[in-house]
Amino acid sequence: MLRAFRFGTDPWDPSHRFETSWLVSPYVLFALRALFSLYAFTTLLFNIGYQCAHAELGGCQTSRDNFSFFTVLTYWGIAFYLLFAAAHTFSYARTGTALLARWPRPLQALHALFYSSVTTMPFLVTVVYWGILYPYGAAWFPTAYGGWSNVSQHALNSFFALFELLVPRVAPQPWIHALWLVVLMALYLALAYVTHATKGFYTYGFLDPVQTGNLVAAYVFGIGAATVVIFVLTKGIVWVRRWITEDKMGRRGKFAAPRAREVDMEEHDLGGPGVFVTK
């Protein structure tokens, strides 16, 4: 059990997988990540301002309440991950050494877990929203703002996650991350019930025992199981991407500058005995 809390001692990401791509240069990868981060932050901040300016949407109280919703929290997570990933990529492109490489090992490990979360949870948000929560049936949103805001947070979120799975060279996520993602989901469910106790509403109707009765437990376990399934699928996508681009196509990556000697330590488990981190 203690293995889940170890950070490892092997060299951290020796071939700069978090900051490079098999397809584009580090500067282009930085620009794309920065652009996506800017869009995500713009969406979040515009939503706050728009809701505060429109009393019919609930005003600023709605904006405050939104911080209890999983969709909004994961979108903030995407925005911040892309921001930090862009900063690390830019520092690598400029100097050949990423800021991430200079961070303490626990922060490096948490960055790897951050990657696993933003490439797993957005797909859960998209599936649950369009499959269960979408309120308009076969019709589209009644307002342009509603359509743009929801597409941004419930569709483009998965596009950003898919981009991170397919374009950067990040190695397959460690299996132990599945455990930590379930822990994060459990913490969110606790937050949902704290929200009900303190603000008087359920963030999602299926968490309300009055509406769903004993099915609440089934929904909770189903969300946990879906998180693990999505994690396994995304890990598989990363493995297939690396197999096709590197083993079959021979595209080992576009680096900041030619290296005198190919540093290929991919057989090392960067988590060492502590597989909290990735390779």
Side-chain angles (χ1 to χ4, degrees):
M1 184 63 183
L2 291 178
R3 178 176 177 159
F5 297 93
R6 295 174 183 168
F7 299 116
T9 58
D10 284 2
W12 168 261
D13 193 18
S15 65
H16 308 290
R17 285 189 171 273
F18 279 100
E19 299 85 31
T20 55
S21 168
W22 63 273
L23 182 62
V24 298
S25 70
Y27 277 116
V28 173
L29 182 60
F30 151 72
L32 291 172
R33 282 171 159 173
L35 177 64
F36 296 158
S37 176
L38 177 63
Y39 180 88
F41 276 117
T42 300
T43 300
L44 290 163
L45 296 175
F46 183 85
N47 280 340
I48 292 173
Y50 190 88
Q51 289 162 355
C52 284
H54 290 77
E56 67 274 16
L57 297 178
C60 289
Q61 185 59 49
T62 296
S63 294
R64 289 190 289 269
D65 291 344
N66 279 346
F67 282 94
S68 293
F69 285 85
F70 188 68
T71 293
V72 176
L73 294 176
T74 56
Y75 209 67
W76 278 104
I78 292 169
F80 274 107
Y81 176 83
L82 289 168
L83 176 64
F84 279 95
H88 295 314
T89 305
F90 180 76
S91 64
Y92 168 73
R94 288 278 294 174
T95 68
T97 302
L99 286 172
L100 184 62
R102 305 170 212 158
W103 282 11
R105 190 52 174 264
L107 293 181
Q108 294 172 337
L110 288 173
H111 184 83
L113 179 59
F114 202 0
Y115 173 84
S116 292
S117 70
V118 300
T119 55
T120 299
M121 293 178 178
F123 296 111
L124 180 64
V125 169
T126 297
V127 170
V128 171
Y129 181 78
W130 297 106
I132 299 176
L133 300 176
Y134 181 68
Y136 299 110
W140 189 240
F141 294 94
T143 66
Y145 166 74
W148 167 78
S149 177
N150 281 282
V151 167
S152 293
Q153 296 180 93
H154 299 112
L156 288 182
N157 61 334
S158 290
F159 168 78
F160 297 147
L162 195 62
F163 171 85
E164 285 295 323
L165 290 172
L166 296 179
V167 177
R169 297 174 54 249
V170 181
Q173 311 91 310
W175 286 109
I176 198 65
H177 283 188
L179 170 63
W180 288 110
L181 293 179
V182 171
V183 169
L184 290 175
M185 289 303 307
L187 290 174
Y188 173 74
L189 291 172
L191 172 65
Y193 286 103
V194 169
T195 296
H196 177 259
T198 57
K199 295 188 175 183
F201 69 91
Y202 286 99
T203 51
Y204 300 102
F206 56 78
L207 297 176
D208 183 358
V210 175
Q211 291 188 31
T212 57
N214 294 333
L215 287 178
V216 169
Y219 276 113
V220 169
F221 282 105
I223 289 171
T227 301
V228 174
V229 169
I230 293 172
F231 172 80
V232 172
L233 291 175
T234 59
K235 182 179 174 70
I237 290 172
V238 173
W239 186 92
V240 171
R241 182 258 298 156
R242 189 170 72 166
W243 176 68
I244 292 175
T245 60
E246 298 182 23
D247 295 345
K248 295 301 181 182
M249 297 172 60
R251 306 194 69 164
R252 298 287 177 177
K254 295 180 179 289
F255 299 95
R259 293 175 294 177
R261 181 174 62 89
E262 177 70 21
V263 180
D264 190 2
M265 301 178 68
E266 302 308 322
E267 295 304 316
H268 284 268
D269 183 351
L270 294 191
V275 289
F276 194 97
V277 297
T278 189
K279 297 195 227 183

